[in-house]
Amino acid sequence: MAFIVKKKIGEKEYYYLNENKRTNGKVKTKTLAYLGKTKKEAEKRAKEFLKKMKKEKFIEEKREFKEKIKDLPTEISVEDMAIFCKRKGFVYQSADIYGGFAGFWDFGHLGVELKNNIKKEWWKFHVWQRKDIEGIDGSIITHPLVWKASGHLDSFADIFVTCKKCKKPEKIDKKDLGKVKCPECGGEFDFGGAKEFKLMFKTGVGEKDEAYLRPETAQLIFTNFKFVYENARMKFPFGIAQIGKAFRNEIAPRDFLFRCREFEQMEIEYFIIPDSNCIYKIPNIEISVFSAEAQEKNEAPRKMKILDALKKGIIKKDWHAYWLATEFSWFVNLGANPNNFRIRQHKKDELAHYSSDCWDLEYKFPFGWKELEGIADRSDYDLSQHQKFSKKDLTIYDENSKKKILPHVICEPSLGVERAFLVFMFDSYHYNKERENIVLKLHPKIAPIKAAIFPIVKRKDFEKLGSEIFNDLKQEWNVIYDESGSIGRRYARNDEIGTPYCITIDEESLKNNDVTVRDRDTKKQIRVKISGLKDVLKKLINQEIEFEKAGRLVK
Ligand code: GAP
């Protein structure tokens, strides 16, 4: 807030416009303008000065806003994203040359790298960096009794209906029978012809045995629970993680990778001694919360701290709040836009009979808010079913109560790799007007190619040094060497596929043993000594150092 002050120097009075500003916790007074020698004159000049300042501030804010929106992700439809992914080599329709195969997708030379990096980061965060979670890798074709025990064999089914107008098949919930219309054309469904459709793919084993491709990875965790508990010497609370393929014969696969028939899951079953409290600090993170009550009352979701949702009793259990916050923060730490996420509580009629609370982490896809990751409380349902069907004792001895008990799964974070892939693609896709090309701002940790190495022009000595650098860096990361086309074209090609750093060899490189490193998002360049390049790149990829401080800034 600005204010007028009077200073007396000798016999004369002088007026000034001052302002108090708090910087780093300390209040400092700054003189903004000299206002003259009389009170009247000072008041007039102060008014004019503040008006001018307001105008300048407005211009500055407008400029800042323009800069900001230049950096906002560009919204594109899921169809356009599929075209982009095909054009750049991320994802192809499976058997494209035969006309494609609905619900099946192949990952191209960049897609496989991005997908592997997502899985690697998920595994690092959930398994390597924690003491309480170990991993397994179970078989895809599993003993049929596993699916009988889990309930999939009898009830893993959707209701199949056909649209009377466009004739397209659609899956609907039992509760929506007779109520909903075709999402494709708005036509009436033929509810009279509604059928139950089993979602598990059948296969044969040996000559006659019937078996199934797993529809989720989770059940393999339950069947191996006791082995992991004993052999990995786990202490409660603890989790078992798994990444792997799952198969569902979806009635209507759609929205590109969103609903496929073959996909991958990253799942954790987190086991606790029943009724034990969360032992971890709940990450202090804010998100849009869509409670069951708000949905029933047709109210909008409310932004709040996950911890506050727990304190208010919206989220019922501390463990649930912990896992919701943890899963959300995994996405945000890898560069996803937090504003595109919300958590939605399942309504009573969506809850399984054994579950007291269930939440989905949802993402704002171009086709609406949809489930990204389910985070369910499964109690002791699965272990007790497998105990019953296998007739094996799955209880553990609890030192505290001195009793044998069946642990509870307090949370089952279950995330589809393909849906995570879409999130990172949508949130990183920017069309840059100034550069007139797409800049795919993927976090360097998940970017398919970490660096591109170029000689600035085609010249034997530049090419020799470039190849040496390429051979050295490729021992550590997926990097490329590119000498074709103008330097601008090579930068643009790499912007579009998300390569965070471009390394150029020029005349100075031969003299000074250094290279330029260009930052994809800002186009800024630094010079870095070749001897320290690997170390600098490592720090940049892990975001341990600011770009401008990683070398000598090229003006
Ligand atoms: N074990 C629990 C389970 O499988 P789910 O909600 O059926 O729960 C978990 O699936 C996650 O798997 C979903 O949140 C989604 O990310 C992914 N998923 C499920 N069906 C999918 C499909 N047809 N295509 C792609 N991803 C799918």
Side-chain angles (χ1 to χ4, degrees):
M1 188 75 173
F3 54 93
I4 299 172
V5 285
K6 183 170 71 179
K7 276 187 193 167
K8 225 173 167 186
I9 302 173
E11 284 306 297
K12 289 191 177 152
E13 288 177 345
Y14 300 93
Y15 288 84
Y16 295 89
L17 187 66
N18 281 5
E19 185 187 48
N20 285 343
K21 239 190 182 164
R22 186 178 285 275
T23 26
N24 299 331
K26 283 186 187 151
V27 178
K28 280 190 179 163
T29 305
K30 190 179 155 196
T31 298
L32 298 175
Y34 167 65
L35 299 176
K37 292 178 186 159
T38 67
K39 196 176 170 200
K40 204 172 164 195
E41 189 185 4
E43 279 170 353
K44 189 174 163 234
R45 282 198 190 176
K47 235 185 204 172
E48 284 166 5
F49 181 85
L50 288 173
K51 200 171 158 192
K52 192 172 148 231
M53 213 168 85
K54 214 170 155 188
K55 198 171 163 195
E56 277 169 5
K57 200 173 159 208
F58 175 73
I59 293 168
E60 177 61 12
E61 275 173 2
K62 215 166 135 186
R63 196 194 57 77
E64 275 176 9
F65 179 71
K66 266 193 172 166
E67 274 297 305
K68 238 191 218 163
I69 56 167
K70 210 172 78 188
D71 208 39
L72 280 183
T74 314
E75 283 182 20
I76 59 162
S77 68
V78 72
E79 291 80 15
D80 286 344
M81 180 54 84
I83 293 168
F84 174 75
C85 282
K86 181 175 177 181
R87 189 161 59 83
K88 289 286 151 194
F90 282 94
V91 185
Y92 309 115
Q93 267 221 33
S94 191
D96 195 283
I97 58 166
Y98 290 96
F101 201 33
F104 298 92
W105 298 93
D106 295 339
F107 288 81
H109 72 294
L110 297 177
V112 65
E113 295 292 338
L114 174 57
K115 196 175 175 212
N116 284 344
N117 290 343
I118 292 171
K119 291 192 280 182
K120 193 172 79 195
E121 288 305 318
W122 186 91
W123 197 261
K124 258 206 240 163
F125 181 81
H126 292 93
V127 181
W128 291 1
Q129 290 168 2
R130 301 182 64 113
K131 280 197 284 191
D132 59 343
I133 298 187
E134 291 290 343
I136 61 157
D137 182 18
S139 68
I140 284 172
I141 300 172
T142 319
H143 196 297
L145 264 185
V146 169
W147 307 113
K148 182 78 188 156
S150 68
H152 284 84
L153 206 51
D154 296 323
S155 54
F156 193 53
D158 276 337
I159 304 292
F160 175 101
V161 285
T162 320
C163 173
K164 284 188 197 166
K165 199 166 145 199
C166 71
K167 310 287 177 221
K168 283 212 172 125
E170 186 57 62
K171 77 163 190 173
I172 58 164
D173 275 354
K174 242 186 205 148
K175 64 175 173 39
D176 291 331
L177 262 176
K179 292 184 198 156
V180 286
K181 293 214 163 140
C182 174
E184 291 283 318
C185 71
E188 300 274 333
F189 281 128
D190 172 16
F191 290 115
K195 280 185 282 196
E196 207 185 50
F197 187 84
K198 299 270 190 210
L199 293 178
M200 278 203 295
F201 280 104
K202 249 188 218 170
T203 185
V205 174
E207 279 219 329
K208 50 183 186 307
D209 282 348
E210 200 168 75
Y212 300 90
L213 304 190
R214 65 182 182 195
E216 61 170 19
T217 63
Q219 294 307 319
L220 283 297
I221 295 180
F222 294 118
T223 55
N224 288 294
F225 154 75
K226 199 88 184 260
F227 293 134
V228 180
Y229 171 63
E230 288 171 0
N231 295 334
R233 300 170 58 236
M234 302 308 282
K235 300 256 179 303
F236 284 91
F238 78 92
I240 303 176
Q242 182 173 204
I243 300 180
K245 290 266 186 185
F247 303 83
R248 296 182 189 179
N249 199 1
E250 297 283 358
I251 295 167
R254 67 158 58 107
D255 295 321
F256 187 29
L257 298 174
F258 180 80
R259 201 192 298 156
C260 333
R261 289 177 166 141
E262 176 177 337
F263 55 99
E264 278 188 86
Q265 287 185 316
M266 307 189 274
E267 294 196 296
I268 294 168
E269 300 300 332
Y270 200 81
F271 300 96
I272 61 162
I273 301 291
D275 300 324
S276 56
N277 288 334
C278 179
I279 56 168
Y280 300 112
K281 200 167 167 234
I282 295 165
N284 186 16
I285 195 161
E286 197 179 62
I287 193 169
S288 215
V289 176
F290 204 14
S291 67
E293 194 185 339
Q295 291 165 65
E296 267 141 26
K297 289 183 179 164
N298 265 331
E299 288 171 1
R302 275 200 300 147
K303 214 161 199 184
M304 63 175 89
K305 293 250 168 77
I306 290 184
L307 189 61
D308 291 338
L310 175 72
K311 283 182 189 157
K312 288 185 175 136
I314 301 170
I315 298 173
K316 297 195 182 97
K317 293 182 182 166
D318 52 3
W319 275 115
H320 228 125
Y322 168 74
W323 276 109
L324 283 162
T326 302
E327 292 308 284
F328 174 45
S329 65
W330 180 74
F331 274 102
V332 175
N333 291 344
L334 282 177
N337 177 357
N339 297 326
N340 286 338
F341 289 76
R342 73 178 185 193
I343 52 172
R344 188 186 73 82
Q345 191 169 33
H346 282 209
K347 292 188 279 180
K348 269 209 184 85
D349 61 2
E350 290 177 89
L351 280 179
H353 64 90
Y354 49 79
S355 183
S356 63
D357 202 9
C358 185
W359 288 80
D360 287 340
L361 181 63
E362 292 194 333
Y363 177 79
K364 196 160 90 187
F365 288 96
F367 42 91
W369 284 100
K370 299 278 172 199
E371 175 185 338
L372 172 62
E373 175 168 5
I375 302 171
D377 165 0
R378 296 190 65 92
S379 73
D380 64 354
Y381 173 76
D382 303 270
L383 285 184
S384 67
Q385 284 293 100
H386 288 300
Q387 185 163 258
K388 191 167 122 197
F389 278 77
S390 67
K391 300 190 177 59
K392 294 281 181 328
D393 177 14
L394 297 181
T395 60
I396 56 97
Y397 182 73
D398 176 29
E399 295 286 349
N400 280 338
S401 61
K402 311 280 180 225
K403 275 190 205 150
K404 286 185 94 181
I405 56 158
L406 204 54
H408 278 212
V409 165
I410 188 65
C411 270
E412 181 201 52
S414 174
L415 170 64
V417 177
E418 285 74 5
R419 290 191 192 176
F421 187 101
L422 282 181
V423 165
F424 291 121
M425 287 301 283
F426 281 121
D427 279 354
S428 63
Y429 186 96
H430 291 65
Y431 179 76
N432 190 298
K433 277 194 196 142
E434 195 188 299
R435 294 189 218 177
E436 295 185 335
N437 64 257
I438 290 150
V439 182
L440 200 61
K441 296 189 175 181
L442 288 167
H443 190 292
K445 282 186 184 171
I446 56 172
I449 294 166
K450 304 293 185 235
I453 299 122
F454 316 141
I456 194 155
V457 287
K458 266 185 166 243
R459 225 174 79 175
K460 280 264 154 6
D461 43 0
F462 290 174
E463 285 166 25
K464 184 172 172 287
L465 186 55
S467 301
E468 279 168 20
I469 293 171
F470 169 66
N471 285 334
D472 185 33
L473 296 184
K474 76 179 185 188
Q475 307 305 319
E476 201 83 31
W477 301 287
N478 187 34
V479 292
I480 54 164
Y481 177 76
D482 187 358
E483 53 181 30
S484 65
S486 71
I487 191 82
R489 200 53 229 125
R490 282 179 274 168
Y491 282 147
R493 265 204 301 265
N494 279 283
D495 285 349
E496 292 203 333
I497 59 173
T499 309
Y501 305 109
C502 288
I503 296 165
T504 309
I505 292 98
D506 56 14
E507 194 69 56
E508 257 188 73
S509 306
L510 303 180
K511 280 189 242 147
N512 301 335
N513 278 321
D514 66 4
V515 288
T516 63
V517 179
R518 172 196 182 259
D519 178 54
R520 174 196 63 202
D521 299 347
T522 60
K523 293 202 310 187
K524 284 186 179 157
Q525 298 198 20
I526 49 172
R527 290 204 82 91
V528 175
K529 287 278 173 213
I530 296 170
S531 56
L533 184 59
K534 241 182 182 171
D535 189 44
V536 164
L537 260 186
K538 191 170 160 207
K539 285 186 180 143
L540 286 173
I541 291 166
N542 292 331
Q543 310 267 278
E544 289 162 1
I545 191 169
E546 270 177 55
F547 183 76
E548 290 183 28
K549 292 187 182 146
R552 182 167 57 81
L553 194 66
V554 179
K555 294 274 191 249

